[in-house]
Amino acid sequence: MLTHGQIWMAIDRLAERYGLTASGLARRAGLDATSFNRSKRVSPDGRERWPSTESIAKVLNATGAGLDEFTSLIEPGEPKSGATVPIVGWRDAGAPPLFAQDGMPSGARWDEIEFPDVGSERVFAVEVAGGAHEPVYRDGDVLIVSPSAGLRKGDRVLVRDAQGKVSARELVRRTVRTLEVKHVCDGGEASLPVAELEYVARIMWCKQ
């Protein structure tokens, strides 16, 4: 049986997973910014307040998370540790032999780092090198990215083109033929032909 605390813990963890506060998650979902505040989780007379199914549905739609992902966050206790994800350096992130057609790591040249269990999401890590993306991402930061995660306007993404160039962008608009993005630092906009992109992976976390 699910408890009041487990449901709210799942919402908090979902917000953290997508780099948001509980208030930020509520705003992204089109709800009042205070909807998920801790003070709103218990009424003045001490009765437990539960999030509505409509609120949860809006949160899942806003983040692109599936119901399976949400329910995986309901389990009690801290997120599992000791899991590992593949990691590669920024320059190698543009090397085609290191990736399969689905944009996931392939071959034996990848190293691994420990990272909390991310459930069913397919992810890998890229270590930032140089200062091209400062001050947003600095030399040595580790980006956890997923080529399988759903994309929405405003998401930060890692893009690799057919020439092997890798860059961090913010998604503005996506159509069947083009990916409209802007640079995460200077805001410079570009329209990239989808046919010329090797992969587009959503940046899920930045480990500094």
Side-chain angles (χ1 to χ4, degrees):
M1 179 177 177
L2 298 179
T3 68
H4 175 264
Q6 285 176 321
I7 293 294
W8 282 113
M9 181 184 293
I11 288 176
D12 289 338
R13 287 178 173 174
L14 187 69
E16 183 179 356
R17 174 169 288 190
Y18 288 89
L20 300 165
T21 62
S23 295
L25 180 62
R27 282 193 295 269
R28 178 177 286 195
L31 303 170
D32 185 277
T34 65
S35 297
F36 297 153
N37 284 7
R38 294 187 182 277
S39 61
K40 295 288 187 73
R41 301 179 186 187
V42 180
S43 67
D45 60 4
R47 288 183 296 109
E48 294 178 339
R49 286 176 172 166
W50 294 65
S52 68
T53 53
E54 181 182 6
S55 294
I56 293 175
K58 287 183 176 181
V59 162
L60 297 182
N61 184 58
T63 58
L67 185 59
D68 288 347
E69 180 179 351
F70 182 75
T71 55
S72 73
L73 301 173
I74 291 175
E75 294 299 322
E78 294 301 312
K80 297 176 184 178
S81 60
T84 61
V85 296
I87 184 171
V88 70
W90 189 271
R91 294 177 181 85
D92 288 334
L98 291 180
F99 294 88
Q101 289 186 344
D102 62 358
M104 286 299 292
S106 176
R109 292 172 55 191
W110 287 77
D111 202 348
E112 290 186 333
I113 59 169
E114 287 191 359
F115 198 77
D117 183 18
V118 292
S120 60
E121 202 70 71
R122 296 186 301 156
V123 301
F124 62 90
V126 177
E127 184 174 0
V128 177
H133 293 85
E134 291 184 353
V136 179
Y137 302 126
R138 301 181 183 277
D139 186 64
D141 286 353
V142 175
L143 306 182
I144 306 297
V145 304
S146 172
S148 63
L151 299 178
R152 297 181 64 85
K153 180 180 178 180
D155 284 342
R156 288 178 178 173
V157 295
L158 198 67
V159 178
R160 189 185 81 189
D161 63 23
Q163 287 71 47
K165 182 180 179 181
V166 177
S167 60
R169 307 288 184 123
E170 180 180 319
L171 181 62
V172 175
R173 183 169 176 263
R174 187 180 191 180
T175 69
V176 174
R177 295 184 176 84
T178 62
L179 193 74
E180 296 179 15
V181 295
K182 59 183 179 181
H183 197 278
V184 294
C185 295
D186 60 26
E189 297 187 355
S191 182
L192 309 176
V194 171
E196 297 179 10
L197 300 178
E198 293 293 330
Y199 70 70
V200 180
R202 188 168 80 189
I203 299 173
M204 311 288 283
W205 295 273
C206 176
K207 186 177 180 182
Q208 298 178 317

